[in-house]
Amino acid sequence: MAIDLGTANTLVYVGGRGIVVSEPSVVASDLDTGLVHAVGAEAERMIGRTPATIAATRPLRHGVIADFDVTEEMLRYFMRKVIDRRIAHPRMIVCAPSGVTEVEKRAVEEASLAAGARRVHLIEEPIAAAIGAGIAIEEPIGRMVVDVGGGTSEMAVISLGGIVVSRSARVGGYEMDEAITHYLRTVHHLAVGSQTAERIKIGIGSVTRQDPEVTMEVRGRHLLTGLPTAIELHSEEVRAAVASPVSEILQAIRDTLEETPPELASDIARDGILLAGGGTMIRGFAELVSGETGMPVFSAESPLTCVATGSGRALEHLDMLTSAGRGRRTRLAADWRMA
């Protein structure tokens, strides 16, 4: 099996069946006993609605494990949900950001083994995204991938099945949500939760001017009166709120391109930049990246699932896949052929 262990969502791919699980990376557990009450979508509904003795938390931060024990329980839950009981200890591929340290990488491996995996391989997210998008990564051609997830943004230039240049910015969709929350508190004196901020981002969020601009009713608690209040929020305000995290992502893209060898840069200028990850689905993101870089930009057919799909396709070459840390290449077989 292959797991896209993301800050926001966890997707599980099983060979021959495709993606069988796509649920939020959330665990609700008892603070006193550590007993897990819910995992995934059920636990996400509890965020901000639990009593003092129960905490609904995300055990991953910026694409890496923040709470080892809770992550282990979450992995065990997803594995038991999808695997045949006769296959008690499956081999597993787990996606990891390209910028993870050796310690963070080891934490992912140990959590997967503790959850019941027999053997664990790591694959870098940009590689998996490119495979999932149907790009022939084994060719001596420069391909650039920008993967904006919930907690991290990955930029990588790929050639001959490996990463030549990469950047990993610890900013993503959650930073956009937090920016919206901060804007509402400071400008409208309105306190809202993370789920409301995400709904605002999805509903009227954009990074370029839209025609027409739209509005959305937002309900929260007024900081001065303490009473529930509703306001009308304009899409221009949301665009201003998320400008800072978006600019960090754009800067990381520019930095990656500046370090790209000339021959590979010419390939990217011809073939374009691939966008993957849920963060790239905010309105106007492709146009903004194209305008900033002067290069063609295209999105994966399914930005939310292409990393998990690519990891699943790598299952066919599991014995040829080797883990690699930052500065080393993740190598696939020289005769890799995309379906």
Side-chain angles (χ1 to χ4, degrees), residues 17-298:
R17 295 165 60 188
I19 296 174
V20 293
V21 169
S22 177
E23 294 194 35
S25 303
V26 184
V27 178
S29 57
D30 192 294
L31 292 175
D32 297 326
T33 64
L35 178 67
V36 174
H37 291 279
V39 178
E42 184 180 355
E44 185 183 44
R45 290 195 295 270
M46 299 181 183
I47 293 178
R49 297 181 173 90
T50 59
T53 57
I54 298 176
T57 60
R58 298 182 183 273
L60 292 104
R61 294 288 184 274
H62 302 296
V64 298
I65 294 175
D67 190 318
F68 183 90
D69 294 332
V70 175
T71 302
E72 179 187 328
E73 290 293 334
M74 184 177 72
L75 284 170
R76 184 177 288 112
Y77 168 83
F78 288 132
M79 289 171 64
R80 288 176 177 173
K81 188 173 182 178
V82 301
I83 64 174
D84 190 323
R85 292 184 179 275
R86 292 171 297 178
I87 310 175
H89 300 286
R91 294 193 301 172
M92 184 186 298
I93 287 179
V94 181
C95 295
S98 59
V100 294
T101 65
E102 290 297 324
V103 173
E104 292 167 340
K105 184 193 303 182
R106 186 60 184 164
V108 174
E109 293 174 345
E110 290 182 354
S112 302
L113 292 171
R118 179 173 82 250
R119 185 178 171 193
V120 180
H121 294 269
L122 299 188
I123 182 171
E124 291 161 311
E125 288 179 5
I127 293 281
I131 296 171
I135 292 177
I137 64 171
E138 80 283 355
E139 297 178 354
I141 298 174
R143 318 280 191 178
M144 184 168 183
V145 178
V146 175
D147 178 15
V148 181
T152 60
S153 295
E154 305 285 319
M155 300 82 189
V157 175
I158 300 168
S159 180
L160 287 172
I163 291 178
V164 179
V165 181
S166 69
R167 279 282 186 279
S168 183
R170 299 207 167 184
V171 57
Y174 282 140
E175 280 65 32
M176 297 183 197
D177 296 343
E178 290 174 2
I180 293 170
T181 302
H182 179 72
Y183 179 88
L184 288 170
R185 291 181 69 93
T186 55
V187 176
H188 293 283
H189 307 292
L190 191 73
V192 300
S194 59
Q195 290 177 306
T196 299
E198 184 176 23
R199 284 196 296 270
I200 293 169
K201 179 183 67 180
I202 294 172
I204 62 173
S206 66
V207 295
T208 58
R209 184 172 180 80
Q210 302 296 298
D211 187 21
E213 299 287 356
V214 293
T215 62
M216 178 180 182
E217 185 182 65
V218 178
R219 297 179 181 273
R221 177 175 54 83
H222 199 280
L223 295 175
L224 301 180
T225 66
L227 299 176
T229 305
I231 65 165
E232 200 73 15
L233 188 66
H234 294 263
S235 55
E236 301 99 311
E237 296 181 273
V238 180
R239 186 160 60 250
V242 302
S244 179
V246 170
S247 67
E248 290 187 49
I249 295 171
L250 291 174
Q251 185 59 52
I253 294 173
R254 286 192 291 266
D255 291 344
T256 304
L257 287 170
E258 286 176 3
E259 293 187 15
T260 302
E263 293 295 336
L264 299 183
S266 65
D267 293 337
I268 297 168
R270 180 192 65 221
D271 298 331
I273 299 172
L274 170 67
L275 301 182
T280 63
M281 297 174 70
I282 189 169
R283 295 169 186 82
F285 189 81
E287 292 83 355
L288 182 64
V289 173
S290 180
E292 289 287 329
T293 62
M295 297 182 180
V297 175
F298 63 99

